[in-house]
Structure formats: C-alpha cells, structure tokens
Amino acid sequence: MKHRTFFWFFLPTGLAMLLFIALPIVSVLFQSVHTPHDAVLVTVENCGPFGCKEETTIDQEATRALRDAEPLGKFVGLQIYFDRGHLAVSEVAEAWRSTDSISGFLSEINDLPFYRAMAFTLTYTFTVTPLLIVLGLMIALAVNSLNRHLKGLVIFFSLLPMIVTPLIGSLILFWMIDSRGVLGSALQYLADDPTLSLKASTGLTWIMLIVYGVWNSAPFAFVVFYAGLQTLPQDQLESAQIDGATRWQRIRYVVIPHLMPLVTFVALIQLMDNFRVFEPIIGFNAEAHATSFSWIIFNDMGGETRLLSSAATTSVLTILGVAVLLTPVLIRTWQDFKGKT
Amino acid sequence: MKFTHIALASSVLAFAATAGSACEISARVNIVGNEFPAIHSVADAAKECTGGEVKANLTADHQKINVAGMTGNPAEYTSAIIANSSIVALMNEDVIRPLDDLVAKHGDGLQKTQLITIDGKIMAVAFMANAQHLVYRADVLEEIGVEPPKSYEDLLAAAKMIREKGIMENPVGGAYKAGWNLAQEFNNMYLGHGGSFFEPGSAKVSINNEQGVAALEMMKSLSEYMNPDFLTHDSNATNTEFRAGNVALMNMWGSRAATLADADGVVQEVKDHMAISGPLTVAGGSDAASTLWWDGWTVAKNIPDAEAEATFIALTHGIRPEMLNEETAPQAVWLIDGYEPTDAAQGVFEAVQMSTSPYPMLPYMGLLHTALGAELSDFMQGKESAAQALADTEAAYTAAAKEKGFLN
C-alpha cells in the first residue's frame, strides 16, 4: 500500500483511537495526581424521627468557594500512588524492617490490598493463559481428526462456554457449586466430607476461579487453532509420515511450529484479558478470598463515597502492568515481523 | 391465588385513585431507590399521579447510581429514596435541595417527625423506620425448651443446643457477606458493646479498642454456627436459608420480616412458626446491638422548580395515609399518620423503645463502612487477629479519608 493511501485509510481509526483511548488515558493520569479539596466541616443540629443530635456535616458554601478557586482539585503528585491503598511504600518498608523471614514479610505484604490483588491477578494470568492454550490446542486437534459429519455439532458445543457472558456464566456456576447446589453436593459426596465448601476456602476459591477462567476462554483458543489447522501443509505432513514420524512427532515438529504465530496471538489477547479479570470475582462473590486490580477500581468507584483519585491511580497502575506483561510477546512479534521482511 | 391477589391489589389502587385525593402534576418525576416491598408501594402510589410522567428505577444498586444520576444539570433523577446512611453521600456532593418552601406549600399531611432537618433546613421526608432484630423459629426453640434469646450470649447457647440435639447443623443465619453487609453487622455489634466510631468532633477513627475486639470475637463465635459460605451471604441469601428451614435464629431487617414467609417454596414449618422479637444486646450491655434507620425521599437540586414541585407532590401522594391498606401496612414500620403497627412491626418498635442508636449521619461514615467491609473478612476466615483486622481497617480508612480531604 502506498503511504498516502495508508494514511487516508488509517485516519478515521487513528482519530477514534486518539479520542476514545489516548485522551481518556491522559484524563485518568491527570485525575490520579489530584484529589478533592479539603472538606470544610461544621457541626450542626440534625433532627429526624429519632430526635435531634449534634452531627458533623460539610459546609457547602465554603467547599464551593474552594472548588471554584481550583476546579481540578488539589494537586498531590504521587501521594495516592504511594498510599496504603496502592504501592504502600511506607507500609512495605515497615514490614521489611519488622520481619526477619521472607515468608513473614510476604504475609505482611499480603495484608495490603494492592499486593493482595496483584498476587491473585498474576497467579490467575499465569496459570489460566498457558492452560487455556494447551486445552484449546487439544480440543482443536481432537475436533480436526473427527469424522466430518460430527464436526459441526462438536464445534457448536465446544463454543458454548464462550457464548455465555462471563458474568452470567459465573453466576450460574456460583449457584451450582454452592454447598447445597448440584456440583457442591456432588463434590461433598465424592470427597466424603459433608462440610466441604468451595466458597469457604481461599485455596479452593482460587482453583475454582482458575478452572472457570480456562473453561470460559479455551473456546477462543480452540477456534483460532482450528482455523490454523485448516491451513496445515499437507505435503510436509505426508513426507513426515513416509519418513516414519509418529502422530506425536508430527504434532511436535510440523503442526505446532506451523501454529506458533497463532499461539503468540492467543497469548497476547489472553494475557491482556486475564490480567483484567473481573466478572468471575463478582459472579462468584469471591472478594473475601480473591481480588484483582479491576475489582479494586470497581469497588472504589461503586462505593457510597466514591474514591475517584484512588480508582484513577489503580487504572494507571493496571495500564503499566499490562504494558510490562505484553512487552516480551510484543518483542517476539516484532522480531517475527522483521524476520519476514 | 396469585392472580386474585394482584387483581385485588389493583382494584384497591383503582379505588384509591378515584376516591382518594386526586394527584395532578405538571412535570416529569423520576425516582431512584432501593428495592424492597415498602419502597415499591411508595413508588406505585406516586405513579397514580396524572399530568406528568412518573418513572421509578428501584434497584439494589441505587447507591452506585444516585449521586451520578443527580449530578448532571438537569439531573436525570428528580428524587432519590435514601436512608440516614445514604443521604450523606447526596449531602456531600450537594445534589439535593432544601424542601422548606415545598413543605409549606404542599406538606399539610406530613408530620413533624417525618421531616429530616439538617442545620435547620428540611432536606428529606422520612416515611418508614427500620432496624435489624431477631427473627426465629418458635417451634425449634420450643423443642429445645428455651425462651427466645434476649442477648447474643443466649443466642449462642440456644444454637449450641440445637446443633447438639441434631435438629440443625448451622442454626444461625446472618448477612455476613464481605463488603457492606459484614461491615453493618460489625457496626451493630460494636455499638452493642458501647463503642464509638470516631474521636469526638473529628474524622479520626478509633475502633481498634477493647469493644472492637470483643465485637469481632462475638461475630466469629456466631459464624461457627452459620453455613460455612457465610462470607458470600447477603440478606437475600440469608433469607433463602431461613425459608428453606436451614436456620433457626437470625438478625434480620424489619423491612423484610413481613414478607419473609411468603415467597414460593417456603417450607411449611417456617410459615407456621416464624416469629420475631426485638434486637439483641451483647456482653451484658443495655444498648441494643443494632442501629436504627429511617428511609425517606429527597428532591434533586439541579432540576427546574416545576419538576421539583411535581416530585414533591407525587411523593407526598405516595406516602399519604390512604396508601396504607391491608397489603401495604405490614410491609414496614410506617412513619405515616394513622399507621397501626402490625405484628411484623414488633421488632422495629422494640428497637425504638430500647433507644437503639441511629446509624450515624457523618460525611465520612461511608468511608469507614467501606473499609470495614473490605478488611474484616481476613479475621472472619481466621487468617489474622481481631486487633490486626481493626488496625488494617483504621489504616484503610485513614488513607481514604486523606484522599477525600477529611483528614490531613
């Protein structure tokens, strides 16, 4: 494509990206270094059905004057980034000084909301992503070797988990794994332990969320790999067969290298998706056991007293996290691209 | 059965609309509020008004949308139905208007106790009172030969006997879902122990003390008699457990007591033997381990005066004495003229008589509530000590209060 043609072709997309992606990120960055003004508090008398009481309230006149003077709020620099809700610099330093073993230090750190969310988010991302790629590949290979009359039906059923919205899917499973639900009761019977409850233990909740994540995303990997399998070089496969390669050797040395660019693609998309895990935590009511960065943002924005600066800061940190996470995959993609040209 | 019920209700409504005071409004009304039967009844009565469209969005997520929905100019919602906790968020953002002139013009039917005045200005009109109190199974207590408990200590003893007799494995219910519900249970228990949340006249929190630890220890002891999934059970899920006959004793909202036994599939013994009584005390104290609430409505600030007037007229119509009938009267402890308490109201009435503390209307109480909801679950799971959980809560609250400008 000529550069000029490309420019006009890309312009609308570029403008939309600037407007809907770049500008909001700038706005979030801006909000994360500002906080609301100091509240001017006054003591007043409140009366209601249960009598009168002296209580504190916000002096709206005085607060409005402050707001009008500085409409953006109070500039605080990186204060929110370093407070206890986020990087918790002073708490981490204190934990480092006061503990004498690594495990003691880690358990202190795990008490801080940001690091606790990070522990779950990273565990989730780095177990779900490889598992769903392997599972997706296995399903794709299995479906590809089926009789063609069966294929349509099996493909349809394999895709079902992806068709269900994550929130609805997790809610349905939430009730099924309840200690009085179908799956929960079955597990209690199998484990011969009537007190077994998946929702009451942190370890089991994590496993449940990870299994759910793999179940929900494997169809995506499956579809991509299945499409890739339709373009397999038949002559290579045949010559490998003539040379006496087993089925496993053909997969290992012909099929997987052929699918490698697709594996990179799936890994890229799924790393990003899994890093912002959110719906299963809400659906499974799992916030007592597992939280994620997205959940923290939701919690800050949804509360009665909204912590918008805090939510903005967590958003910026999430964007940075995604960038770090994707760097190796992006470097690999770039090298592949350069290698081809 | 269901159909005749609906038909009866609508004919009552139709009768009220024709025979009762006519309601004429001239502008739009749009209400946002929580979702339970009493609020539905108020909104339905407000919808009888003619001349302008009356819409209502009643949802459990109301607190997440009401501030945003009233901030624009003109605001999307002309009224938010709130309680003494959630009015604070609207006051903090300055999105509701004083109602003095409207009360003078259209508020003849309202009683003095219904008017919520803050700093001398009427900011809301209350229509019901609410509190958490004991709901129990009379037949189960009879079987073990125990009087209905008056304190949490009695409740624990009864729960122990129920389990030992093999009647129920987890006889205690409680809305202990991590987040808002768990924090509210702590508030109740902490006030029952005589604690106070903040240093007097300041936004500085002080809950990491003897009363705080004792409150948490009691919650832990109760949770040992609950369904092991208690950290995922909100008041809806707890009611479901009670309806299924799995629970014999629980601390539950008065606004849910009247309708507790009428859902589909409620076990017959639960229907026949459900009983309620006042809130429990704890640790030998005389203060109820509960909080008093009122629910009421507000009018948005950023709307034309015509809409504010229409909203006031429609909602005053929604809570007029004639809206009380056989169906609506048991739904709540109404603060409306002419309301005769029904059996279902007994628990809340006892709460009022025991001079239970009202939920504090402080600008920073919401931040503490949120911090409690997030930080207490570790203790409830046995992962850390009570003092550690309270220290974490204080730290989380302090960070949030600094960000919001309440603390320096």
Side-chain angles (χ1 to χ4, degrees):
Chain A
M1 206 185 282
K2 278 191 206 148
H3 284 306
R4 199 183 141 78
T5 324
F6 177 78
F7 174 78
W8 287 110
F9 175 73
F10 183 72
L11 186 66
T13 318
L15 281 179
M17 281 169 74
L18 192 72
L19 203 62
F20 297 118
I21 300 178
L23 281 183
I25 290 180
V26 171
S27 147
V28 166
L29 253 174
F30 227 74
Q31 285 187 57
S32 69
V33 292
H34 287 86
T35 63
H37 294 287
D38 287 341
V40 186
L41 299 175
V42 284
T43 306
V44 295
E45 191 181 47
N46 293 347
C47 293
F50 315 121
C52 293
K53 207 179 166 190
E54 291 276 300
E55 259 171 329
T56 308
T57 189
I58 292 181
D59 185 342
Q60 291 299 345
E61 297 291 314
T63 308
R64 195 172 308 119
L66 277 177
R67 263 186 212 166
D68 290 345
E70 277 180 283
L72 271 177
K74 199 167 65 167
F75 180 78
V76 291
L78 295 178
Q79 185 195 313
I80 306 286
Y81 286 84
F82 295 145
D83 75 4
R84 182 183 181 273
H86 303 90
L87 297 175
V89 191
S90 58
E91 283 81 359
V92 172
E94 173 58 33
W96 184 252
R97 271 197 301 275
S98 64
T99 50
D100 42 15
S101 68
I102 288 291
S103 64
F105 174 69
L106 288 181
S107 86
E108 287 274 304
I109 293 296
N110 199 32
D111 214 25
L112 298 164
F114 185 80
Y115 294 100
R116 168 183 297 209
M118 180 141 81
F120 176 72
T121 310
L122 291 180
T123 311
Y124 182 86
T125 309
F126 286 111
T127 46
V128 170
T129 312
L131 283 177
L132 79 89
I133 288 175
V134 170
L135 187 67
L137 186 64
M138 276 162 50
I139 304 173
L141 287 170
V143 170
N144 202 36
S145 59
L146 278 179
N147 182 302
R148 68 186 173 88
H149 294 292
L150 272 173
K151 268 184 191 172
L153 201 66
V154 175
I155 291 176
F156 173 74
F157 279 106
S158 321
L159 287 180
L160 273 180
M162 197 168 69
I163 295 170
V164 183
T165 314
L167 189 60
I168 306 291
S170 51
L171 264 179
I172 295 170
L173 277 174
F174 175 73
W175 288 114
M176 289 170 76
I177 53 132
D178 187 272
S179 53
R180 303 191 203 282
V182 179
L183 291 178
S185 306
L187 279 176
Q188 284 175 353
Y189 176 76
L190 287 176
D192 199 17
D193 176 4
T195 58
L196 179 76
S197 164
L198 287 178
K199 295 174 184 174
S201 130
T202 302
L204 290 175
T205 304
W206 282 35
I207 292 174
M208 179 176 79
L209 288 168
I210 287 167
V211 168
Y212 171 80
V214 174
W215 176 79
N216 187 255
S217 318
F220 172 74
F222 153 65
V223 174
V224 174
F225 294 144
Y226 185 74
L229 286 177
Q230 307 315 305
T231 65
L232 272 181
Q234 291 304 325
D235 43 350
Q236 268 186 42
L237 275 178
E238 273 167 31
S239 44
Q241 214 165 354
I242 291 166
D243 289 342
T246 61
R247 185 171 156 78
W248 165 243
Q249 283 169 329
R250 271 177 281 148
I251 290 175
R252 173 75 187 79
Y253 296 106
V254 182
V255 176
I256 292 182
H258 180 73
L259 291 181
M260 223 35 216
L262 292 177
V263 171
T264 316
F265 165 73
V266 172
L268 193 76
I269 301 278
Q270 288 298 322
L271 276 176
M272 234 173 352
D273 254 8
N274 293 329
F275 192 72
R276 51 185 181 72
V277 50
F278 172 65
E279 290 98 332
I281 296 179
I282 297 291
F284 285 105
N285 280 350
E287 59 261 37
H289 303 287
T291 53
S292 69
F293 296 140
S294 303
W295 184 84
I296 293 184
I297 298 170
F298 174 77
N299 196 41
D300 282 342
M301 303 222 301
E304 232 173 85
T305 5
R306 294 170 301 165
L307 296 171
L308 300 184
S309 308
S310 174
T313 306
T314 314
S315 305
V316 172
L317 291 170
T318 311
I319 294 170
L320 289 178
V322 170
V324 170
L325 208 62
L326 293 190
T327 311
V329 191
L330 284 174
I331 289 174
R332 201 197 138 84
T333 316
W334 176 245
Q335 281 167 345
D336 281 358
F337 171 75
K338 282 229 308 219
K340 273 184 192 133
T341 50
Chain B
M1 176 62 200
K2 206 85 200 167
F3 177 75
T4 51
H5 225 80
I6 294 164
L8 191 73
S10 53
S11 67
V12 168
L13 287 183
F15 176 74
T18 49
S21 53
C23 172
E24 255 316 301
I25 52 172
S26 58
R28 84 180 171 110
V29 174
N30 194 359
I31 305 161
V32 61
N34 199 355
E35 193 253 356
F36 53 81
I39 292 186
H40 274 290
S41 299
V42 171
D44 287 345
K47 281 181 187 168
E48 290 163 15
C49 293
T50 49
E53 195 191 4
V54 182
K55 285 196 292 184
N57 180 9
L58 304 184
T59 155
D61 290 328
H62 63 115
Q63 287 171 355
K64 291 183 183 144
I65 55 179
N66 59 13
V67 173
M70 291 171 99
T71 303
N73 198 353
E76 168 68 14
Y77 297 111
T78 63
S79 171
I81 294 180
I82 38 74
N84 41 343
S85 65
S86 47
I87 191 174
V88 172
L90 304 183
M91 293 286 299
N92 286 359
E93 298 298 323
D94 196 21
V95 294
I96 52 176
R97 63 168 67 196
L99 304 172
D100 299 76
D101 50 339
L102 289 167
V103 170
K105 202 169 163 193
H106 300 287
D108 287 341
L110 301 172
Q111 300 181 72
K112 179 103 184 26
T113 50
Q114 281 181 270
L115 305 175
I116 307 299
T117 58
I118 295 170
D119 197 13
K121 282 181 283 198
I122 301 169
M123 298 306 287
V125 178
F127 56 81
M128 62 174 277
N130 203 354
Q132 283 166 286
H133 55 71
L134 182 68
V135 174
Y136 63 97
R137 281 271 300 279
D139 55 334
V140 176
L141 290 189
E142 212 165 284
E143 201 175 332
I144 57 167
V146 165
E147 288 290 302
K150 292 278 177 214
S151 70
Y152 271 109
E153 286 77 12
D154 295 350
L155 185 140
L156 273 180
K160 187 158 184 272
M161 288 173 74
I162 296 172
R163 181 180 278 178
E164 276 169 3
K165 284 213 167 176
I167 304 170
M168 284 173 189
E169 181 54 31
N170 298 306
V172 178
Y176 273 40
K177 180 180 169 176
W180 196 94
N181 290 276
L182 184 63
Q184 178 53 24
E185 295 294 332
F186 173 81
N187 291 343
N188 291 337
M189 203 62 88
Y190 183 64
L191 290 171
H193 280 86
S196 59
F197 295 108
F198 299 97
E199 287 178 8
S202 108
K204 204 166 176 312
V205 65
S206 70
I207 51 165
N208 190 5
N209 50 30
E210 238 172 80
Q211 292 103 320
V213 171
L216 279 181
E217 297 291 350
M218 176 49 87
M219 287 169 74
K220 184 75 174 279
S221 314
L222 290 168
S223 72
E224 273 150 30
Y225 290 97
M226 290 181 189
N227 182 313
D229 300 342
F230 64 87
L231 281 174
T232 64
H233 285 188
D234 59 6
S235 39
N236 286 324
T238 312
N239 278 344
T240 310
E241 280 278 280
F242 190 86
R243 284 171 174 148
N246 298 328
V247 161
L249 300 151
M250 65 177 182
N251 188 38
M252 185 42 68
W253 291 95
S255 53
R256 302 197 180 249
T259 47
L260 189 55
D262 353 296
D264 284 336
V266 178
V267 179
Q268 193 59 39
E269 287 104 59
V270 176
K271 278 188 183 165
D272 295 344
H273 302 291
M274 179 197 135
I276 58 181
S277 67
L280 301 166
T281 60
V282 70
S286 57
D287 297 349
S290 183
T291 39
L292 270 183
W293 296 68
W294 52 259
D295 285 74
W297 45 262
T298 55
V299 178
K301 185 171 199 179
N302 303 329
I303 50 171
D305 288 344
E307 288 183 6
E309 191 168 3
T311 304
F312 189 92
I313 295 172
L315 281 163
T316 310
H317 184 79
I319 60 168
R320 74 196 190 289
E322 296 82 46
M323 68 82 68
L324 294 175
N325 55 41
E326 235 170 75
E327 199 199 335
T328 56
Q331 286 171 346
V333 174
W334 298 99
L335 297 167
I336 301 173
D337 198 14
Y339 164 70
E340 296 285 339
T342 61
D343 288 345
Q346 187 196 345
V348 177
F349 261 88
E350 278 186 42
V352 175
Q353 273 155 17
M354 287 166 79
S355 51
T356 306
S357 323
Y359 186 90
M361 271 172 60
L362 295 168
Y364 31 80
M365 187 63 202
L367 293 176
L368 178 60
H369 203 122
T370 310
L372 284 164
E375 298 291 342
L376 294 185
S377 55
D378 273 356
F379 167 77
M380 296 303 293
Q381 293 171 50
K383 286 186 191 160
E384 65 184 22
S385 68
Q388 180 64 44
L390 293 169
D392 287 350
T393 308
E394 291 199 344
Y397 164 81
T398 307
K402 274 188 184 154
E403 180 184 331
K404 288 295 265 188
F406 293 121
L407 284 175
N408 290 316

